Amino acid sequence: MRSGASWIASEDAVVQDLFLDDLTEGELLALPFLFEFWAMPHQLPPEGDWRSWVILGGRGAGKTRAGAEWVRSMVEGDRPLDHGHCRRVALVGETIDQVREVMIFGDSGILACSPPDRRPDWSATRKQLTWPNGAVAQAFSAHEPEGLRGPQFDAAWVDELAKWKKARDTWDMLQFALRLGDDPRCCVTTTPRNVGLLKDLLQMPSTVTTHAPTEANRANLADSFLREVRARYAGSRLARQELDGVLLDDLDGAFWTSDMLDGCRVDSVPALDRIVVAVDPPVTGHSGSDECGIVVAGVTGGATPADWRAYVLEDASVTAASPVQWAEAAVAAFARHNADRIVAEVNQGGDLVETVIRQIDPLVPVKQVRATQGKAARAEPVAALYEQGRVSHAAPMPLLEDQLCAMTTRGYEGKASPDRLDALVWALHELMILPGALRRNPRVRSL
């Protein structure tokens, strides 16, 4: 099914001029706000009896606009002061700031989509929108699910559900609050991620879905953006999730899972006893080389190794055309985090790896490490630290986490070489595994 805009855009100039000439002045003024005319199929709610409509899409696929326009369709009547189908709407985002800046004031948010005579007023103190016809939308943060205990609604717009840290608690509280009217409904706009709540929601018989990749909305996106992200992430799990809008299941036998990584993120990092920068250099040094894995991590100590906890601070990996470029990036990360040492794998480059680093900073402490086991064998004890809840990520690191989820008991099943993963393994081996192993056997030196 094509939208009216798709139809008229496909016609020649004569037909387009006739169409526009036939419109009255009022119709011309109203045309930009008639979303049914401009919308793409995935932006329009499916017909039938449903409770939740989930719009799965890649970045920039038009999900926010679809959610904002759905809210308009729920609260607006035929005329500005006429009542619509709904009177009380919940707007739920990851944070209040996200609700305000994306769902309400964003370029595709509710205020930008509303015609002047129907535009609601925002009350910052009450965190609510009020329409000229008296309909009200209240803003809520997924960080505070208890805020939904008490209010009641006949509609809700939920944004980026798959990113919420307290997703299930917030969703459950919202379902109890959706109890007004004859047919309370919820629109969910989200980039898919492999989280339990989203998968459960998609399996519900009362849920309907629409889906679109980023390219579906390319008319409203910069060509340079599309070229860059496709060139950088083509073929990766991250591209399938963030650009194609595909919900990916974890691989069988994966050492890391999406749920595990979602659960290890923290908002703050305590004072660290030691910080290292781990480097996994590429075999060659030119524009077509594999990436140079550079990962920064730190550790807090304790009375015994079981009390230690690691924090992954940054994925500083680069694609370098020369060894000097990746060495500069590693030394810059060392200075940025005030690290204690650079740990560099030398299987491929030998002493040359340390020599290149010292060309950038002759005083930086460098430790050479050499792999004696396969990648899966080296990664498994590090993955066990995550399973024990002893490793946290200080920020989202999608490319690194993409590689982690592709490491299985059968080996690495991702694209190209897992350089970021290798660097992470070396960092946590240096901080967590080697000190404990040395206590048990002083001769243990490498993986």
Side-chain angles (χ1 to χ4, degrees):
M1 181 181 68
R2 294 191 302 171
S3 68
S6 299
W7 166 75
I8 197 65
S10 66
E11 298 293 338
D12 59 32
V14 174
V15 175
Q16 292 174 354
D17 288 342
L18 288 173
F19 170 77
L20 294 175
D21 289 343
D22 285 342
L23 297 179
T24 66
E25 182 179 358
E27 289 171 336
L28 282 171
L29 292 174
L31 188 59
F33 301 102
L34 298 177
F35 189 59
E36 294 83 357
F37 182 83
W38 301 103
M40 294 175 284
H42 73 277
Q43 294 178 304
L44 295 174
E47 297 180 356
D49 184 19
W50 51 265
R51 167 98 172 171
S52 300
W53 169 31
V54 180
I55 308 173
L56 296 174
R59 299 285 187 92
K63 303 184 297 297
T64 302
R65 177 67 184 273
E69 294 285 1
W70 181 79
V71 170
R72 279 191 59 207
S73 72
M74 291 292 101
V75 302
E76 292 181 7
D78 292 336
R79 293 173 296 183
L81 299 182
D82 289 349
H83 290 175
H85 180 73
C86 297
R87 302 280 292 164
R88 300 284 298 278
V89 181
L91 305 176
V92 191
E94 184 178 14
T95 65
I96 287 293
D97 286 346
Q98 288 290 312
V99 176
R100 185 179 62 245
E101 300 303 323
V102 176
M103 301 171 72
I104 296 174
F105 286 95
D107 291 340
S108 299
I110 292 171
L111 294 180
C113 297
S114 299
D117 60 347
R118 297 164 187 253
R119 184 169 292 132
D121 292 323
W122 167 248
S123 171
T125 55
R126 302 188 68 183
K127 300 177 184 177
Q128 71 178 29
L129 287 170
T130 303
W131 274 263
N133 65 3
V136 172
Q138 189 78 34
F140 295 92
S141 166
H143 284 295
E144 300 174 351
E146 289 298 311
L148 286 159
R149 186 186 294 274
Q152 51 186 357
F153 308 97
D154 46 16
W157 173 22
V158 163
D159 190 46
E160 293 298 353
L161 172 72
K163 289 176 56 182
W164 295 356
K165 291 184 178 180
K166 299 180 179 179
R168 197 169 294 276
D169 288 344
T170 305
W171 180 258
D172 288 344
M173 289 297 100
L174 177 61
Q175 299 316 296
F176 288 118
L178 278 172
R179 56 180 185 260
L180 291 182
D182 298 327
D183 186 23
R185 290 183 168 187
C186 179
C187 174
V188 179
T189 52
T190 188
T191 302
R193 300 182 69 182
N194 187 22
V195 295
L197 174 60
L198 180 58
K199 292 192 291 186
D200 291 346
L201 177 59
L202 294 175
Q203 294 300 315
M204 293 288 292
S206 58
T207 297
V208 294
T209 64
T210 57
H211 167 266
T214 297
E215 275 85 351
N217 195 32
R218 66 179 311 134
N220 297 307
L221 302 172
D223 288 339
S224 59
F225 161 75
L226 292 171
R227 287 196 303 271
E228 177 66 21
V229 294
R230 279 301 181 192
R232 182 173 178 82
Y233 305 118
S236 69
R237 284 173 57 88
L238 185 67
R240 293 183 64 201
Q241 173 181 286
E242 300 292 327
L243 300 179
D244 296 333
V246 175
L247 180 61
L248 301 175
D249 286 327
D250 292 314
L251 296 172
D252 290 338
F255 289 155
W256 285 267
T257 66
S258 301
D259 284 346
M260 180 193 300
L261 294 172
D262 286 339
C264 78
R265 295 191 181 93
V266 293
D267 295 325
S268 60
V269 176
L272 300 172
D273 296 310
R274 189 174 179 226
I275 299 174
V276 300
V277 177
V279 181
D280 181 61
V283 176
T284 57
H286 54 75
S287 58
S289 299
D290 290 331
E291 292 177 316
C292 176
I294 303 173
V295 170
V296 186
V299 67
T300 57
T304 67
D307 299 322
W308 301 343
R309 184 173 185 85
Y311 294 84
V312 183
L313 304 176
E314 182 185 0
D315 174 13
S317 303
V318 295
T319 300
S322 71
V324 170
Q325 289 180 328
W326 61 251
E328 288 175 339
V331 172
F334 176 88
R336 190 161 55 246
H337 292 275
N338 194 25
D340 300 284
R341 176 176 291 185
I342 292 179
V343 178
E345 181 182 316
V346 298
N347 282 56
Q348 303 295 337
D351 292 338
L352 179 62
V353 172
E354 182 173 348
T355 300
V356 174
I357 294 173
R358 294 203 182 282
Q359 287 178 1
I360 309 303
D361 185 344
L363 299 180
V364 65
V366 178
K367 177 181 179 179
Q368 297 186 15
V369 291
R370 191 177 298 273
T372 59
Q373 298 174 297
K375 294 183 184 297
R378 299 201 308 270
E380 189 166 6
V382 174
L385 295 174
Y386 280 80
E387 292 175 347
Q388 296 162 11
R390 297 174 61 196
V391 182
S392 295
H393 286 197
M397 303 176 200
L399 295 180
L400 169 61
E401 293 171 4
D402 193 28
Q403 291 190 358
L404 294 180
C405 289
M407 177 57 75
T408 74
T409 53
R410 299 174 298 279
Y412 183 65
E413 299 188 11
K415 179 186 176 185
S417 177
D419 305 286
R420 299 166 190 264
L421 181 153
D422 286 340
L424 171 80
V425 167
W426 283 121
L428 296 186
H429 175 262
E430 175 70 17
L431 293 171
M432 298 281 282
I433 295 174
L434 183 59
L438 285 172
R439 288 195 176 193
R440 297 188 297 270
N441 182 356
R443 292 179 295 177
V444 173
R445 294 295 175 188
S446 64
L447 285 170

